[in-house]
Amino acid sequence: MNAIEIENLQKSFGTRRAVDGISLAVRQGEIFSLLGPNGAGKTTTLAMLSTLLRPDGGDARILGHSIKHESAAVKASLGVVPQDIALYMDLTARENLDFWGRMYGLRGGALRQRVDEVLEMIGLTERQKDPVGKYSGGMKRRVNIGAALLHKPKVIYMDEPTVGIDPQSRRSILDSVVALKEQGMTVLYTTHYMEEAQELSDHLAIMDSGRLIASGTQQELIQLVGGLDRIRLAINGDVERVLATWRTITGVKQATVEEGLLMLLVEDSNQALPRLFESAAAAGVRITSVEIQEPNLEAVFLHLTGRALRDG
Amino acid sequence: MARILAIAQKDLRQNLRDRKTFLFLLLMPAAFTLLFGFAFGKGSDGRLAVGYLDQDGGLFSPALKNLLQADLRLVEQPGQSQADLTQQVRDGKLAAAVIIPAGYSQQILADSPLKLQVIVDPASSASATLQAALLSDVGRLLMAVSAARAEGEVDAPAVESRLAAAQREAQAASQTASQADAAKPSPLQPSQTSPGMMAQFAIAGLLVASQLLVEERKTRAMQRLLTTPARRAEILLGHSLSIFVLILAQLLLLILFGQIVLKLDYLRLPWATLLLAVTTAACVAGLGLLVGALARTDEQAIIFSMICMFLFAGLGGAWVPLEVTGSAFQTLGHLTPVAWVIDGFKNIIARGLAFDSVLLPAGVLSAYAALFFALAVWKFRFE
Ligand SMILES: Nc1ncnc2c1ncn2[C@@H]1O[C@H](COP(=O)(O)OP(=O)(O)OP(=O)(O)O)[C@@H](O)[C@H]1O
Ligand SMILES: [Mg+2]
């Protein structure tokens, strides 16, 4: 049974096609990740799925309710964690949760009890009486998530919930996402961190420039890279110039720069590496480190788009 | 309904947590009322100290002096010249001076009354007070003279008895005996400034309310609200309700302040006072939602609120009573809600009128409230 079914969803802003006809299905009780770089259209997709934006074309069903025609039913079954920290900074965590709980129709003792539970879940019971504005980035993110959980939604969207926080807070958020799944919730999770998508997802889809360029389980996606090897190299020279030459070397399928390192997909590293060293020597640069890795989602993205998931 | 209340309660909680709210909504209006009300009315009785020189000594000057004394504290020193008075005004010992020119009474009888001579800094607020007092007192004198003349007996006792009768009538119109001596308010006494400042600073509530809306839009909490089952109408009503409650509470506190500290009898007609407070608060709620709808940034929220406040308060007679202005200005002033707020409250505390005298102001304020609310709903953006 599918919790979310998206059919040919489209949205343009002026001439820019932010979401350009995507279709996918999310099964009930799974974590589904939408992985894509900045501007891929993840937030726009979620905005349509939460009835904030009206699609230009296509439709989607959330637990069987059309986002176009049954927006009230869709909203009632959803929890939405926005990409921005959409909270009241001058109110305490408790007051914020209490308010959002009331927006979802909770009140009285049930609300109080649920706020207690959620505070516990996001680990902020101790600090519940401090204004959210005084919290660290990670704590704010956790309240941002908590505010979407009060009514125990069956389906929850999380839009890049770990952006800009310390590793410890990120760990705790990832753990709580898994905990939500264990409680039977369906999670649609967007991110541009490949590691997160890899760790969390049952299924995932890769999005770029408004389109889904691949979707499936992690295994299925990695098979797309087939027998290719992934090589990361550091050099002590002009990366861009070397990149241009290496793209023309036989056996090199894709080459790009990520965080100052050269990242290559090659057919066979045994044959490719000597050629790379040769070419480097000819160009007068030294290769200072080499790492041969298993293909991962990063490699899939590179393979399909010729670009790195994260630029710089 | 539960959501509307939750939103209103949340807004109020945010407002009360902000010190600005108390400053703008309570401290400033109370301070300004006291300042305007008493700074210029030297002496504890709150009347202006005005030098008085009678160069006429004619038939009607005692009656005129009598009238003036109700509004002004006349300071008369034997042997003073016009030059002495001018000096004293310049030195700030007197707020102003009035000189009854020689032949004043004679010229009234000849049907071409002379103007009273006035020494005052035209830029000072005492000027407006004085002009208003002179205008009404001279008017009364001339009316009494012409009434006496119609019955063929133009002498001082006849005129004075007519003035006394008119005074009694005015007192009878004002229902409480204690109101009697305050029946002729001078423009910058608390009975003028209290409603004026109340109206002006009720509009200052826009500042607090609209900034809240701008902030909610900026943090995208407003957009988040739309992902919950809360409907747009509930969100708008919740925000309006919070402004309404805030301003109503403000007005009721300022009314109590007026009643207790300034000894203004707002509670003479409690229901009329409440009706005006409620319609004023509704009007500000509509306007607050409108400013919150139009302002894209914090700065814009502040600027729009300030423009509303100064424009409405200035034109509406919160600073200079509309009574002392020309008819064109009065008409213009009554295009602002502030003029109607002041009118309504003055009908209660100064003019001694009955309950139905606040129905028109309250009606106009309700119409403004509906207009502002409709515009706000039309223009409201959630993102
Ligand atoms: N309200 C809008 N008006 C105009 N263009 C928009 C609007 N919202 C998004 N876009 C454009 O649509 C494209 C997709 O944006 P979107 O925010 O959905 O991407 P994203 O995948 O969420 O990116 P990020 O990882 O940076 O959050 C971008 O090119 C963006 O500039
Ligand atoms: Mg986004």
Side-chain angles (χ1 to χ4, degrees), chain B residues 191-227:
Chain B
S191 59
Q192 163 65 31
T193 53
S194 165
M197 289 302 114
M198 221 150 72
Q200 168 168 350
F201 283 94
I203 298 183
L206 297 187
L207 202 67
V208 180
S210 60
Q211 279 185 297
L212 198 85
L213 288 174
V214 168
E215 181 68 18
E216 187 168 83
R217 198 179 289 125
K218 204 167 70 186
T219 58
R220 301 207 166 234
M222 197 177 278
Q223 214 182 21
R224 182 175 205 161
L225 275 172
L226 294 181
T227 69

Side-chain angles (χ1 to χ4, degrees), chain B residues 3-258:
Chain B
R3 286 197 189 93
I4 297 175
L5 291 179
I7 292 173
Q9 193 190 351
K10 186 270 301 168
D11 282 4
L12 285 171
R13 181 173 274 157
Q14 286 182 284
N15 282 330
L16 295 183
R17 208 154 279 180
D18 187 350
R19 268 193 217 116
K20 232 174 29 230
T21 307
F22 295 95
L23 178 69
F24 278 114
L25 298 195
L26 292 177
L27 292 181
M28 300 228 315
F32 274 81
T33 309
L34 287 173
L35 197 72
F36 279 132
F38 294 122
F40 308 110
K42 298 208 170 118
S44 60
D45 61 2
R47 294 177 304 171
L48 282 180
V50 174
Y52 180 77
L53 179 59
D54 184 0
Q55 298 177 331
D56 178 40
L59 208 50
F60 304 125
S61 57
L64 181 58
K65 182 177 172 189
N66 211 10
L67 285 170
L68 289 174
Q69 261 168 340
D71 296 321
L72 309 166
R73 192 159 63 81
L74 296 183
V75 180
E76 200 176 3
Q77 285 165 7
Q80 265 188 333
S81 69
Q82 183 171 342
D84 297 335
L85 287 175
T86 311
Q87 189 57 43
Q88 287 181 29
V89 171
R90 191 172 301 144
D91 294 347
K93 291 191 181 122
L94 293 170
V98 183
I99 298 164
I100 318 280
Y104 184 75
S105 300
Q106 209 54 46
Q107 288 303 113
I108 289 182
L109 286 174
D111 229 355
S112 61
L114 292 175
K115 282 193 75 161
L116 297 177
Q117 234 177 304
V118 174
I119 304 165
V120 65
D121 174 3
S124 87
S125 60
S127 169
T129 313
L130 186 64
Q131 297 292 0
L134 294 181
L135 207 65
S136 85
D137 292 341
V138 169
R140 276 182 211 165
L141 177 66
L142 295 182
M143 253 160 66
V145 171
S146 81
R149 178 178 295 156
E151 291 172 23
E153 29 168 1
V154 195
D155 54 9
V159 168
E160 272 161 29
S161 82
R162 279 195 172 70
L163 284 171
Q167 170 99 9
R168 276 195 302 279
E169 261 170 51
Q171 284 177 12
S174 119
Q175 290 168 351
T176 47
S178 70
Q179 273 303 105
D181 41 343
K184 290 182 296 170
S186 89
L188 279 173
Q189 281 183 355
S191 59
Q192 163 65 31
T193 53
S194 165
M197 289 302 114
M198 221 150 72
Q200 168 168 350
F201 283 94
I203 298 183
L206 297 187
L207 202 67
V208 180
S210 60
Q211 279 185 297
L212 198 85
L213 288 174
V214 168
E215 181 68 18
E216 187 168 83
R217 198 179 289 125
K218 204 167 70 186
T219 58
R220 301 207 166 234
M222 197 177 278
Q223 214 182 21
R224 182 175 205 161
L225 275 172
L226 294 181
T227 69
T228 73
R231 281 173 296 156
R232 280 163 202 254
E234 290 177 314
I235 298 171
L236 292 176
L237 283 173
H239 287 312
S240 321
L241 180 63
S242 78
I243 312 177
F244 174 78
V245 171
L246 185 73
I247 300 302
L248 186 61
Q250 173 201 23
L251 290 175
L252 294 180
L253 286 172
L254 289 176
I255 284 168
L256 277 184
F257 172 76

Side-chain angles (χ1 to χ4, degrees), chain A residues 12-14 16-19 36-45 53 83 159-160 190-192 207 210, chain B residues 220 383:
Chain A
S12 299
F13 298 108
R16 167 174 286 131
R17 292 167 166 251
V19 175
N38 292 134
K42 305 181 294 293
T43 300
T44 307
T45 303
L53 273 182
Q83 181 168 359
D159 197 357
E160 306 201 27
T190 82
T191 181
H192 61 250
M207 196 168 179
Chain B
R220 301 207 166 234
E383 46 201 296

